[in-house]
Amino acid sequence: MNKPTGPLDPTAIPTGERPGSRKVYQAGERWPDIRVPFREVAVHPSAGEPALTLYDPSGPYTDPAVTIDIDKGLPRTREPWVVSRGDVEIVETPREVKPEDNGFASGAGLAPQFTAPRRVYRARAGAGVTQLDYARRGIVTPEMEYVAIRENLRRKASDPFIKDGESFGAEIPDFVTPEFVRDEVARGRAIIPANINHTELEPMAIGRNFLVKVNANIGNSAVLSTVADEVDKLVWSIRWGADTVMDLSTGRNIHNIRDWIVRNSPVPIGTVPIYQALEKVNGIAEDLTWEVFRDTLIEQAEQGVDYFTIHAGVRLPFIPLTAKRVTGIVSRGGSIMAKWCLAHHRENFLYERFEEICEIMRAYDVSFSLGDGLRPGSIADANDEAQFAELRTLGELTKVAWKHGVQVMIEGPGHVPMHKIKANMDEQLKHCHEAPFYTLGPLTTDVAPGYDHITSAIGAAMIGWFGTAMLCYVTPKEHLGLPDRDDVKQGVIAYKIAAHAADLAKGHPTARAWDDALSRARFEFRWEDQFNLGLDPETAREFHDETLPKEAMKTAHFCSMCGPKFCSMKISQDIRDAARQQNEVASGMDEMAKKFRDTGGEILVPVTAAE
Amino acid sequence: MNKPTGPLDPTAIPTGERPGSRKVYQAGERWPDIRVPFREVAVHPSAGEPALTLYDPSGPYTDPAVTIDIDKGLPRTREPWVVSRGDVEIVETPREVKPEDNGFASGAGLAPQFTAPRRVYRARAGAGVTQLDYARRGIVTPEMEYVAIRENLRRKASDPFIKDGESFGAEIPDFVTPEFVRDEVARGRAIIPANINHTELEPMAIGRNFLVKVNANIGNSAVLSTVADEVDKLVWSIRWGADTVMDLSTGRNIHNIRDWIVRNSPVPIGTVPIYQALEKVNGIAEDLTWEVFRDTLIEQAEQGVDYFTIHAGVRLPFIPLTAKRVTGIVSRGGSIMAKWCLAHHRENFLYERFEEICEIMRAYDVSFSLGDGLRPGSIADANDEAQFAELRTLGELTKVAWKHGVQVMIEGPGHVPMHKIKANMDEQLKHCHEAPFYTLGPLTTDVAPGYDHITSAIGAAMIGWFGTAMLCYVTPKEHLGLPDRDDVKQGVIAYKIAAHAADLAKGHPTARAWDDALSRARFEFRWEDQFNLGLDPETAREFHDETLPKEAMKTAHFCSMCGPKFCSMKISQDIRDAARQQNEVASGMDEMAKKFRDTGGEILVPVTAAE
């Protein structure tokens, strides 16, 4: 897993299975040709328990049977599903790449084109090809069965689980069926971001009643990174568990870099089209036009982008509401549109043209991520009128998008102190008709630049518990610089922690098994199992070996914290053994325990009772 | 700030002011000789705002006017306060150091003794010298005024602040007076850990109605670290903001290392005496006796330890309740006592001898940290009967300790999923009579070994918000190894984030000013101010400089994330300026905003209305 050495050296992309893990697949029943990937973590035979199945968004990169060639892109396994529905047509003359698509980059400054040939699809005239369209028509698509199998983590409907959690009114099923997925999509409560031109995709769902997902942002900026760096960041982030990736590239080569990313991505790719549109008008917001934006939507839709962040809620009347804020407008897209609105003193053209935008996105099944351009950028601005006025607007736009059969999720903050987080979820549920919520953090304090993956993991875990469907990661570099490879890893892991903590607290049927398997390994000193079952086996092993390097120590029944003579886990195992083996003691203890309980846990049990 | 080069090289200890900061002191009114330290962070003149005052537990080490000599220890500024009360006596024949105190270490293996002479004090026969005793007698001690001044962060009673928070029934005052501190201590709702033999102490308070505090654990284990390493870790942890430090040393040299730590510590030092007692009986729990333990309490009380973790709640009848747990008993102290109880099949001698323990601790004003020996070590075991049975016992023991005039705080978990955290706080408030709660995390998931500072910062922030008074940090090495210098820093910073997020959410009068000052700096591109106002200025600067190294960039009105052409903060500043300068536009916008609000935020305002 080295950093790419050459610009397009495929061998540099991180591949191979995770430690102690095996890539496994489960076939569909309705659609036997679908193969849903999982990561199976084996445990030591002494454990006497089966291997643990984990959700696996890492794609073919962790399958040793697959040869990766980023020049060719990933296998287009979804193409037959898309074509066989008979409602799409091949775009005979796809939009041609224009110089402005790459910021007029040329010569050595121009990133290489992705050259492997592919067809570009579009819905036949009048055809509804979105997952929402199909769901409404009662159709279970391969994407829906794929998602159902994926969410169950190989649990069977009959497998028992510990019901324990508080889901705040979510309707998490004990077992996910394809019909359940269809119904959640049909009512807009979940989305399956799946552009018909992103046939390399491994479908996934974003919804309050599914596992909480994590998004990682990548993208070059000011020509700081190469194509290989971005593909590497993509593969790197999904290797650690990112469920979707947003390409936030600005500056030059946006088009070509995006081609490489989409063609090599098994996860949904999201973008903020206004970024590229702005580049096309040389970064001058006032010069933005509907025509430039529309052309950019088609450009990206044909490339296969799965969801677009559209800041249509930044309405002219709301802008003055930000004037007295401590940090004004901090969303890039939001500030671009605000500047355009003020310059022309006109309503946001994304708002005025919203139905036209819907028609374009519908033809490719691009999902909306309705942007929160007025999200708070500081604790002081949290939950203010500008933020909630926009949120209510996003609720209105959600209904418009649904009318056109386009899938929708809603973006959320931002910077919010803990006591104001729940109100964000409640307002979103109230005004956005249960469309999935997708939040950036929120950061629970402003005072820790350099550690905002932590300030925000706190808020992310809480809002995920309250019902947010996807958490957009924040890296340690937030507010300070561009995330490098390690920042991406740190951000993804902090957010996998937040997402799983939320699944646990919601009582998701598959959540507890993971914690319990790891804790059993910990208690039984199965060090290798503890490492491999963790989010980051390599780091866990490295930390352990710093103080107890010897291989023998991996089986030692103690650790460096207490040393051999003095180990709480060992002592309490002795206690358990004693309780098990010495019958008279055991029964004596059970009797004592019973007596204790019978007395209602009364504390002053005479000591004699214990003798 | 390099790592110590030699075992006792005082120049190796990290000293000097924090970046952009100045050490300032505020004198007392009742006690003019007390000097309460603060860290004052200056901001750029262009900000047009005063410097920010931050709480500062770092002690004389960050005062350039003080020469540090760890061979002599810190100045004993508290000694006159203790002596002048006329209720203590000098211990003419202090307990002599015995070979077993240092685990029979000898020769090169024996850590050097701390040799600077000092007097050892004890309460006169029958005298009550604890802060609780004084408070009950209506006395405001210098320690109490010190704490009052410290908690206000140089706010005046008349200074306005934004009332915004949810404190779940806490009674946080707008301004802290010495009388308020006295009354909180008198009713046991706060403690001031301050052994009369720790005269180097800068007093601080732990209580639900004060700022949330953070504890850092240090200590050698299996002879892995030297005296200088431990003093360095102490100074390092308070430099980053630890409010108290626990010395969890095991193995050899425990006594001598502790001497160096206490003599050089401006913060309260806590220990778990059973650890040393166990060493004295060669690590064999069954061989522990009351006599050995009692002798250890006196040894440590004479050294000046400020609080003892005592696992008196691990009662014989509760032990069987742990037999079916996934991770049994994970507290070291708890498992030691459990093993003793089972071996002798007798009640815990700490429980039976509790009143005698109180009498010893009372004579030196050592506070109780009633240990949660049965805390859950995994998500599976959270909030079970063993845990809550012990918690109720700790509530009973609290009343016994208070009867003897001894200060008390209560230790809490551990591993708890988010939906079960509040119940811990509620049960503690219900059964422990509002004695301060002191929790370890809790970790909100078990699946991230190597990142438990994050899994637990989530739980710590939440339980701090709910009312926990002090948060015991967890480092990235938790469950895996011994924390090194960087782990200590990572743990302290993660917990400073949790504690401040909690203060913000509780609506503490001094909390918001910090976030707002940093956010204003961020919005105005005062990079130096943003770095210096943060929890870790060095790291923030380093991250920024990775992408924009030039000094000139520190004043640039953009950052590396978007680049010069394309900066949301810059754009929204333009918006604000536009709104301010162009009167007609501004008034027009205000009018629109008004119209928008008048229409109840109705979305479909005709565009004409905006023209």
Side-chain angles (χ1 to χ4, degrees):
Chain A
M1 294 195 302
N2 304 316
K3 217 168 181 331
T5 52
L8 292 175
D9 172 8
T11 64
I13 300 301
T15 58
E17 290 175 321
R18 302 290 304 282
S21 300
R22 197 166 64 92
K23 188 94 172 182
V24 296
Y25 296 91
Q26 182 175 336
E29 288 176 13
R30 292 158 170 267
W31 309 90
D33 63 320
I34 70 178
R35 295 172 73 228
V36 182
F38 297 100
R39 178 156 73 96
E40 186 182 78
V41 186
V43 294
H44 192 275
S46 65
E49 57 187 73
L52 184 76
T53 300
L54 295 176
Y55 195 97
D56 180 11
S58 63
Y61 299 96
T62 47
D63 185 342
V66 176
T67 309
I68 298 298
D69 181 350
I70 68 171
D71 294 335
K72 289 199 179 65
L74 296 176
R76 299 182 185 143
T77 48
R78 235 186 109 224
E79 190 160 14
W81 312 352
V82 169
V83 175
S84 62
R85 293 194 264 250
D87 49 11
V88 301
E89 64 189 11
I90 295 173
V91 179
E92 298 302 344
T93 56
R95 179 184 176 286
E96 294 210 338
V97 182
K98 305 170 187 174
E100 61 263 37
D101 299 350
N102 288 302
F104 303 98
S106 63
L110 177 63
Q113 274 194 301
F114 184 87
T115 51
R118 69 177 186 97
R119 295 176 210 77
V120 175
Y121 297 101
R122 174 173 64 202
R124 290 225 172 107
V129 302
T130 70
Q131 295 293 316
L132 176 53
D133 274 310
Y134 296 129
R136 283 170 169 171
R137 294 185 337 243
I139 298 168
V140 170
T141 62
E143 289 85 352
M144 294 170 194
E145 186 183 28
Y146 194 106
V147 162
I149 293 168
R150 199 166 198 182
E151 291 281 329
N152 289 322
L153 301 186
R154 301 206 293 178
R155 261 187 79 240
K156 293 184 194 57
S158 57
D159 291 346
F161 69 95
I162 299 163
K163 269 200 195 295
D164 179 14
E166 163 55 68
S167 69
F168 300 101
E171 295 171 27
I172 301 164
D174 291 356
F175 185 77
V176 180
T177 63
E179 293 72 20
F180 177 80
V181 175
R182 178 195 62 202
D183 297 345
E184 289 291 292
V185 171
R187 65 185 286 175
R189 203 152 67 173
I191 68 171
I192 299 175
N195 184 322
I196 59 174
N197 288 309
H198 187 192
T199 52
E200 302 84 354
L201 183 76
E202 295 178 349
M204 52 79 73
I206 300 167
R208 184 178 170 211
N209 295 321
F210 298 109
L211 289 161
V212 175
K213 305 305 191 298
V214 169
N215 173 74
N217 296 328
I218 62 172
N220 74 328
S221 171
V223 206
L224 270 176
S225 58
T226 71
V227 163
D229 282 343
E230 293 314 311
V231 175
D232 171 63
K233 267 192 219 159
L234 160 73
V235 178
W236 187 236
S237 56
I238 61 178
R239 185 176 184 85
W240 292 109
D243 297 288
T244 80
V245 168
M246 290 193 76
D247 173 14
L248 302 184
S249 293
T250 60
R252 297 173 158 205
N253 295 309
I254 293 183
H255 180 97
N256 287 1
I257 288 175
R258 187 188 309 119
D259 250 349
W260 289 96
I261 290 173
V262 175
R263 299 282 75 79
N264 287 286
S265 176
V267 302
I269 297 297
T271 64
V272 186
I274 202 75
Y275 291 179
Q276 186 179 16
L278 187 72
E279 294 296 328
K280 291 178 180 179
V281 295
N282 303 307
I284 301 164
E286 302 86 309
D287 295 353
L288 283 166
T289 64
W290 162 243
E291 291 64 31
V292 170
F293 188 76
R294 181 182 184 286
D295 178 58
T296 306
L297 292 183
I298 291 166
E299 170 189 357
Q300 298 195 12
E302 288 189 349
Q303 281 183 295
V305 173
D306 301 286
Y307 61 90
F308 289 157
T309 293
I310 305 285
H311 296 94
V314 181
R315 297 201 51 217
L316 183 61
F318 306 160
I319 297 168
L321 302 177
T322 68
K324 291 190 173 56
R325 278 181 161 184
V326 168
T327 48
I329 299 175
V330 295
S331 148
R332 290 191 285 182
S335 55
I336 293 162
M337 293 319 301
K339 190 163 191 183
W340 185 93
C341 290
L342 287 181
H344 298 279
H345 215 267
R346 291 208 48 197
E347 183 55 273
N348 181 340
F349 66 80
L350 301 175
Y351 179 80
E352 294 190 315
R353 302 281 193 160
F354 194 73
E355 302 223 16
E356 289 164 82
I357 295 170
C358 291
E359 280 310 304
I360 295 166
M361 291 168 68
R362 178 181 190 225
Y364 307 88
D365 196 7
V366 180
S367 299
F368 274 108
S369 183
L370 290 175
D372 57 336
L374 302 181
R375 68 170 173 267
S378 57
I379 292 298
D381 298 341
N383 295 21
D384 70 355
E385 179 55 23
Q387 181 194 337
F388 284 144
E390 178 186 43
L391 182 67
R392 290 188 294 268
T393 306
L394 300 185
E396 297 288 327
L397 295 172
T398 297
K399 287 198 162 174
V400 177
W402 284 350
K403 184 184 74 187
H404 290 270
V406 183
Q407 305 188 88
V408 180
M409 62 180 167
I410 310 288
E411 293 184 8
H415 292 239
V416 184
M418 282 190 286
H419 66 293
K420 292 183 175 178
I421 290 175
K422 188 143 194 314
N424 279 271
M425 192 69 232
D426 295 344
E427 286 294 298
Q428 195 270 348
L429 285 170
K430 180 178 168 194
H431 296 291
C432 298
H433 327 292
E434 294 195 285
F437 204 23
Y438 167 34
T439 62
L440 176 69
L443 286 67
T444 53
T445 171
D446 303 339
V447 303
Y451 299 85
D452 281 329
H453 60 308
I454 298 177
T455 63
S456 65
I458 294 167
M462 291 174 70
I463 205 162
W465 174 29
F466 299 150
T468 292
M470 186 159 74
L471 307 170
C472 182
Y473 87 167
V474 173
T475 78
K477 289 275 173 65
E478 183 77 10
H479 300 117
L480 297 170
L482 291 170
D484 61 21
R485 207 165 191 265
D486 186 59
D487 296 316
V488 167
K489 174 183 171 181
Q490 295 303 320
V492 171
I493 287 176
Y495 273 67
K496 292 298 286 184
I497 287 168
H500 183 70
D503 289 332
L504 266 181
K506 287 169 77 176
H508 194 286
T510 66
R512 260 290 291 280
W514 190 2
D515 298 74
D516 293 353
L518 192 139
S519 289
R520 283 190 298 268
R522 179 171 286 156
F523 187 68
E524 292 162 16
F525 298 99
R526 288 183 272 118
W527 288 102
E528 296 289 342
D529 292 353
Q530 188 185 162
F531 302 151
N532 296 338
L533 288 166
L535 272 176
D536 183 355
E538 293 88 344
T539 297
R541 171 187 299 276
E542 178 192 314
F543 283 1
H544 173 273
D545 291 358
E546 279 179 26
T547 31
L548 284 180
K550 292 199 213 62
E551 276 312 304
M553 290 304 165
K554 300 289 195 319
T555 53
H557 274 203
F558 61 89
C559 64
S560 56
M561 284 79 82
C562 313
K565 260 196 323 197
F566 185 70
C567 169
S568 60
M569 290 253 185
K570 182 156 185 348
I571 290 173
S572 77
Q573 280 192 317
D574 297 345
I575 291 165
R576 180 183 290 187
D577 299 344
R580 285 217 190 92
Q581 288 153 20
Q582 303 162 31
N583 289 334
E584 72 286 359
V585 176
S587 59
M589 292 204 304
D590 292 346
E591 189 190 70
M592 284 187 304
K594 184 173 176 307
K595 185 170 287 146
F596 168 73
R597 283 188 298 271
D598 295 346
T599 59
E602 197 251 296
I603 297 305
L604 300 171
V605 180
V607 176
T608 52
E611 284 169 350
Chain B
M1 293 194 307
N2 305 316
K3 215 166 180 340
T5 51
L8 291 175
D9 173 9
T11 65
I13 300 300
T15 58
E17 290 174 321
R18 303 290 306 281
S21 301
R22 195 165 65 93
K23 189 93 171 183
V24 296
Y25 296 92
Q26 182 174 334
E29 289 175 11
R30 294 159 168 268
W31 309 90
D33 65 318
I34 69 178
R35 295 171 73 231
V36 182
F38 297 99
R39 178 155 74 96
E40 185 182 78
V41 186
V43 294
H44 191 275
S46 66
E49 58 187 72
L52 184 75
T53 299
L54 294 176
Y55 194 97
D56 181 9
S58 63
Y61 299 95
T62 47
D63 184 343
V66 176
T67 308
I68 298 298
D69 181 349
I70 67 172
D71 294 334
K72 289 199 179 64
L74 296 176
R76 301 187 183 136
T77 47
R78 236 187 106 223
E79 191 160 14
W81 312 352
V82 170
V83 175
S84 63
R85 293 194 263 251
D87 50 11
V88 300
E89 63 189 12
I90 295 173
V91 179
E92 296 304 344
T93 55
R95 180 185 174 284
E96 294 213 336
V97 182
K98 305 171 187 172
E100 61 264 37
D101 298 350
N102 288 304
F104 303 98
S106 62
L110 177 63
Q113 274 195 302
F114 183 87
T115 51
R118 69 177 186 98
R119 293 177 210 78
V120 174
Y121 298 101
R122 176 174 61 204
R124 290 229 171 103
V129 304
T130 70
Q131 295 292 318
L132 176 54
D133 274 310
Y134 297 127
R136 283 171 169 171
R137 277 153 34 208
I139 298 169
V140 170
T141 62
E143 290 85 352
M144 295 171 192
E145 185 182 30
Y146 193 107
V147 163
I149 294 167
R150 199 167 197 182
E151 290 280 329
N152 288 323
L153 302 185
R154 299 206 293 178
R155 263 186 78 242
K156 292 185 192 58
S158 56
D159 290 347
F161 69 96
I162 299 163
K163 270 200 193 297
D164 179 13
E166 164 55 69
S167 71
F168 298 102
E171 294 171 27
I172 301 164
D174 290 358
F175 185 77
V176 180
T177 62
E179 292 73 18
F180 178 81
V181 175
R182 178 196 62 201
D183 297 345
E184 288 291 293
V185 171
R187 64 185 286 176
R189 204 153 66 172
I191 67 171
I192 299 175
N195 184 322
I196 57 173
N197 288 308
H198 187 192
T199 52
E200 303 84 355
L201 183 76
E202 295 178 349
M204 52 80 72
I206 300 167
R208 184 177 169 212
N209 295 320
F210 298 110
L211 288 160
V212 175
K213 305 305 190 297
V214 169
N215 172 74
N217 296 328
I218 62 172
N220 75 329
S221 172
V223 206
L224 270 176
S225 59
T226 71
V227 164
D229 282 342
E230 292 314 311
V231 175
D232 171 64
K233 267 191 217 161
L234 160 73
V235 177
W236 187 237
S237 56
I238 62 178
R239 184 175 183 86
W240 293 109
D243 297 288
T244 79
V245 168
M246 289 193 77
D247 173 11
L248 302 185
S249 293
T250 60
R252 298 175 159 203
N253 294 309
I254 293 183
H255 180 97
N256 287 2
I257 288 175
R258 187 188 309 119
D259 249 349
W260 288 97
I261 290 173
V262 175
R263 299 283 75 80
N264 286 286
S265 175
V267 302
I269 297 297
T271 63
V272 186
I274 202 75
Y275 291 179
Q276 185 178 16
L278 187 71
E279 294 297 328
K280 291 179 179 179
V281 294
N282 303 306
I284 300 164
E286 302 87 308
D287 295 352
L288 282 166
T289 63
W290 162 244
E291 291 64 32
V292 170
F293 187 76
R294 181 181 184 287
D295 178 58
T296 305
L297 292 183
I298 292 166
E299 170 189 356
Q300 298 195 12
E302 287 189 349
Q303 281 183 296
V305 172
D306 301 286
Y307 61 89
F308 290 156
T309 293
I310 305 285
H311 296 95
V314 181
R315 297 201 49 215
L316 183 60
F318 305 161
I319 296 168
L321 302 177
T322 68
K324 289 190 173 57
R325 279 180 159 186
V326 167
T327 48
I329 300 175
V330 295
S331 150
R332 290 191 284 183
S335 55
I336 292 162
M337 293 320 300
K339 191 164 189 181
W340 186 92
C341 291
L342 287 182
H344 298 278
H345 216 268
R346 291 206 49 199
E347 183 55 275
N348 182 338
F349 66 81
L350 301 176
Y351 180 79
E352 294 190 316
R353 301 282 193 162
F354 194 73
E355 303 223 17
E356 289 163 82
I357 295 171
C358 291
E359 280 311 304
I360 295 167
M361 291 169 67
R362 178 178 190 228
Y364 307 88
D365 195 6
V366 180
S367 300
F368 273 107
S369 183
L370 291 176
D372 57 335
L374 302 182
R375 68 170 173 267
S378 58
I379 292 298
D381 297 340
N383 296 20
D384 71 355
E385 180 54 23
Q387 181 195 336
F388 284 145
E390 179 186 42
L391 182 66
R392 290 187 294 268
T393 305
L394 300 186
E396 297 287 327
L397 296 172
T398 297
K399 287 200 160 172
V400 176
W402 284 350
K403 185 185 74 188
H404 290 268
V406 182
Q407 304 189 88
V408 180
M409 62 180 166
I410 310 288
E411 293 185 6
H415 292 239
V416 184
M418 284 190 286
H419 66 294
K420 292 183 173 176
I421 290 176
K422 187 143 193 319
N424 279 271
M425 192 69 232
D426 295 343
E427 286 295 298
Q428 195 270 349
L429 285 170
K430 181 178 168 197
H431 296 291
C432 298
H433 326 293
E434 293 195 284
F437 205 21
Y438 167 34
T439 62
L440 177 69
L443 286 69
T444 53
T445 170
D446 304 338
V447 302
Y451 299 85
D452 281 328
H453 61 308
I454 298 177
T455 63
S456 65
I458 294 166
M462 291 173 71
I463 205 162
W465 174 27
F466 299 149
T468 292
M470 185 158 76
L471 307 171
C472 182
Y473 87 168
V474 172
T475 78
K477 288 276 171 66
E478 183 75 10
H479 300 120
L480 297 171
L482 290 170
D484 61 20
R485 208 164 190 262
D486 187 58
D487 296 315
V488 167
K489 173 184 171 181
Q490 295 303 319
V492 171
I493 287 176
Y495 273 68
K496 292 297 286 183
I497 288 168
H500 183 69
D503 288 331
L504 265 180
K506 287 169 77 177
H508 194 286
T510 67
R512 261 290 292 280
W514 190 3
D515 298 75
D516 293 354
L518 192 140
S519 289
R520 283 190 298 267
R522 180 171 284 156
F523 188 67
E524 292 163 14
F525 298 99
R526 287 182 273 120
W527 288 104
E528 296 289 343
D529 292 353
Q530 188 186 161
F531 302 151
N532 295 338
L533 287 166
L535 272 176
D536 182 355
E538 294 89 343
T539 297
R541 171 187 300 275
E542 179 192 315
F543 283 0
H544 173 273
D545 290 1
E546 278 178 28
T547 32
L548 283 179
K550 292 198 211 64
E551 275 313 303
M553 289 305 166
K554 300 289 193 322
T555 54
H557 275 203
F558 62 89
C559 63
S560 56
M561 284 78 83
C562 315
K565 259 196 325 195
F566 183 71
C567 169
S568 59
M569 290 253 186
K570 184 161 189 335
I571 291 173
S572 76
Q573 280 191 317
D574 297 346
I575 291 165
R576 180 183 288 187
D577 299 343
R580 286 219 190 92
Q581 287 152 20
Q582 305 163 30
N583 289 335
E584 71 285 0
V585 177
S587 60
M589 292 203 303
D590 292 345
E591 191 189 68
M592 286 188 301
K594 183 173 177 307
K595 183 170 288 146
F596 167 75
R597 282 189 299 271
D598 294 347
T599 59
E602 197 253 297
I603 296 306
L604 299 169
V605 179
V607 177
T608 52
E611 285 168 350

